Amino acid sequence: ETFILNENLFKGKNIKIATNADEEGAIHAGNNNPADDVATVNITGENIVIDAPTKDVYQGIGIGAMSWGIVNIEGNTTIRAQNAILARGDAQVNINKSGENTVKMLGDINFNYREEKSDSPVNATIDVNLVGEESFWKGNTVVSWDDVKPDPEKLVVSNAKITLKDGAVWNATKITDRETATKGLRQIALNDLVIDGGTVNIQDTERGIMVDRIVANDATFGGGMLNVNESIAIESGVTTFNGNVMGLAADTEKDIAGATLTLANGATMDIGTSTVKFDTMNIDGTVVASVTNGRPYGHLYGDITAGEDALLKLNVGSVGTYKIFNDADVNMKIDAGLAYVV
């Protein structure tokens, strides 16, 4: 059964909501007019399970939040659906805002356009807080459309946020872009990613994932390319890159500013043998790079400004000449092994 709600509050110890209705979702909140009373669904429980099984890549909706609808969920939450969340039209979905619960989310966050039903732009506010070693998200952020492909401005998303804390994991799945005469789907950037002791595993080793803004404290990234559109701020702890990192390059013709990487004093960025490339890098902390077996080796590309406390630590296992900073002129203290040439 699908619950279509205008204003409801569910409370209980164990709550399970399941559906086999492909297009409506296990939970559905929406309005026809923003001047109406806002449709709000509040679910609070000790254990909450939301199931919407289907094999259709366009269907299967756990939480459907449409046109100014609001869904708030508090409790140990499990969502299993092709689209864990499907949203549009300035709707809101908040999961574990308190940060006190475990969240297990299997499925994509899908921003969907459908001219026949609403013609609303796809942007919506999504805020999912994954806390603890048992919390994870297996999925990615996508935009999709039905009936007809809209103008590009209706497919712009700006308010999707994921937080990983205390051992939580995002297993970012590979998305295959597809388009037919009546439907389309493609991977898009997650707008904000906040990590405080969390891990991102990137399945797609060809194009990786896209994130607009990242704040990292004790973060680990592994697998495919991490593409950053605006900024990454490494504020504290050790952030480790086990794959390449690419910041969006500036494009003056399109009025696009290049992405920026900031490494705070006291924080460490361990790039291993990865390549990290940004238009601008402000480094006040410690960079750890490995040159253990010749190539590949860790290096940085970009306009690099190093503070007086910036430090480069090299894990050296192979004698040679290495362009750690490519061709940039960088003044940074070095802590290296017994044999090195830089």
Side-chain angles (χ1 to χ4, degrees), residues 198-227:
T199 299
V200 179
N201 298 316
I202 303 170
Q203 185 185 72
D204 190 339
T205 57
E206 296 179 359
R207 67 173 175 175
I209 62 167
M210 298 174 287
V211 183
D212 288 337
R213 297 167 294 273
I214 300 173
V215 176
N217 304 279
D218 284 320
T220 300
F221 296 86
M225 176 85 74
L226 172 63
N227 298 283

Side-chain angles (χ1 to χ4, degrees), residues 53-172:
T54 181
K55 292 183 179 180
D56 189 317
V57 296
Y58 294 101
Q59 299 178 340
I61 303 168
I63 299 171
M66 311 298 173
S67 298
W68 308 285
I70 299 174
V71 178
N72 299 308
I73 298 178
E74 280 292 338
N76 298 317
T77 302
T78 298
I79 305 173
R80 296 181 290 237
Q82 178 66 41
N83 301 295
I85 300 170
L86 186 141
R88 62 171 167 258
D90 290 323
Q92 298 180 40
V93 177
N94 301 298
I95 300 176
N96 191 30
K97 204 157 189 178
S98 69
E100 298 176 352
N101 307 288
T102 297
V103 176
K104 301 176 181 179
M105 190 163 76
L106 295 92
D108 296 328
I109 299 174
N110 187 339
F111 296 88
N112 172 260
Y113 174 82
R114 193 158 191 177
E115 183 181 56
E116 179 185 351
K117 288 197 171 183
S118 73
D119 195 33
S120 298
V122 302
N123 192 41
T125 298
I126 308 297
D127 190 348
V128 181
N129 200 1
L130 295 100
V131 179
E133 294 180 354
E134 295 185 10
S135 292
F136 66 87
W137 173 33
K138 183 179 181 181
N140 215 319
T141 44
V142 300
V143 66
S144 66
W145 57 92
D146 299 280
D147 308 320
V148 63
K149 186 175 182 178
D151 294 333
E153 58 266 22
K154 289 193 174 183
L155 296 178
V156 174
V157 175
S158 59
N159 297 314
K161 178 183 177 182
I162 295 289
T163 299
L164 305 174
K165 187 176 181 181
D166 297 340
V169 177
W170 174 20
N171 292 314

